[in-house]
Amino acid sequence: MDSALASEPAPDGDLYLRRTVRTAAKLLVVGHFAVGKTTFVGSLSEIRPLRTEETMTQAGASVDDLAGIEGKTTTTVAMDFGRLTLSDSLVLYLFGAPGQQRFTRLWQDMTHGALGALVLADTRRLEQSFDVMGLLEELGLPYAVAVNHFDGAPVYPEEEIREALDLLPETPLVTCDARDRVSSTRALISLVEYLQRRTVVREHV
């Protein structure tokens, strides 16, 4: 059977699930402000993604740090949503959460029913990932980390990034380019495989 992971996105008019779909899985795509969550969800979604972006105003300049990302003009204020059909019977729903701390109240609702989260990180602002990972740990949601590639951003060895983020040995750490569908797919697979391993371990405890 064909997998949407390995094919081109479906036309915008193809909005409805296949009648054979019986199972839906929910994953979150999270990270700090301007780390590429909207782009990531958009690169994978087989339907036109739902986006809740608003134009940034001068009023937000004091709370949204634009250092190094001066060209950013919009921000997500609720969520991004995309859909990915994995097989004739399984569909994956992707929910992108806003990264600013003032939106963290939305997270509790968004995490209900989620199997796990993919944390996007930026090597120029790794320290901003701590609040995101801390909230996931507080909510008990397992996660993997994907370092999103930005032009001109410094590149560090994996062990240095893992140490800087204080990741557990079992937490997956990969690199990706949120603009590229294949690269984003690989990052998502790293999370799914991690969740599967956790499930197997729990079943044998």
Side-chain angles (χ1 to χ4, degrees), residues 21-100:
V21 169
R22 295 293 180 267
T23 305
K26 176 182 179 181
L27 295 177
L28 302 188
V29 179
V30 300
H32 58 70
F33 173 60
V35 77
K37 301 178 294 294
T38 298
T39 301
F40 186 93
V41 173
S43 73
L44 284 176
S45 181
E46 66 193 11
I47 59 173
R48 186 184 297 276
L50 170 65
R51 292 172 174 166
T52 57
E53 288 194 303
E54 295 291 342
T55 301
M56 299 178 66
T57 64
Q58 189 61 37
S62 60
V63 291
D64 294 332
D65 184 7
L66 294 175
I69 50 171
E70 289 80 2
K72 185 172 179 59
T73 59
T74 61
T75 185
T76 298
V77 296
M79 68 175 182
D80 299 306
F81 172 77
R83 191 187 77 199
L84 190 58
T85 301
L86 301 182
S87 70
D88 288 338
S89 60
L90 176 62
V91 67
L92 182 66
Y93 293 124
L94 300 176
F95 287 78
Q100 298 96 313

Side-chain angles (χ1 to χ4, degrees), residues 119-196:
V119 179
L120 296 186
D122 180 352
T123 57
R124 299 169 298 180
R125 299 175 291 154
L126 284 176
E127 72 285 351
Q128 295 186 25
S129 297
F130 284 114
D131 287 340
V132 174
M133 294 188 298
L135 184 55
L136 291 174
E137 291 168 3
E138 180 181 330
L139 295 171
L141 197 65
Y143 62 87
V145 177
V147 176
N148 191 16
H149 172 75
F150 288 91
D151 296 333
V155 177
Y156 301 108
E158 178 180 327
E159 58 270 20
E160 291 187 16
I161 297 176
R162 184 174 288 278
E163 181 178 358
L165 293 176
D166 194 25
L167 298 180
L168 294 173
E170 62 269 23
T171 302
L173 174 63
V174 297
T175 59
C176 75
D177 185 336
R179 300 166 295 186
D180 181 75
R181 180 175 174 82
V182 173
S183 179
S184 297
T185 296
R186 290 172 180 160
L188 194 64
I189 288 173
S190 72
L191 170 62
V192 173
E193 290 179 340
Y194 174 54
L195 296 175
Q196 289 176 331

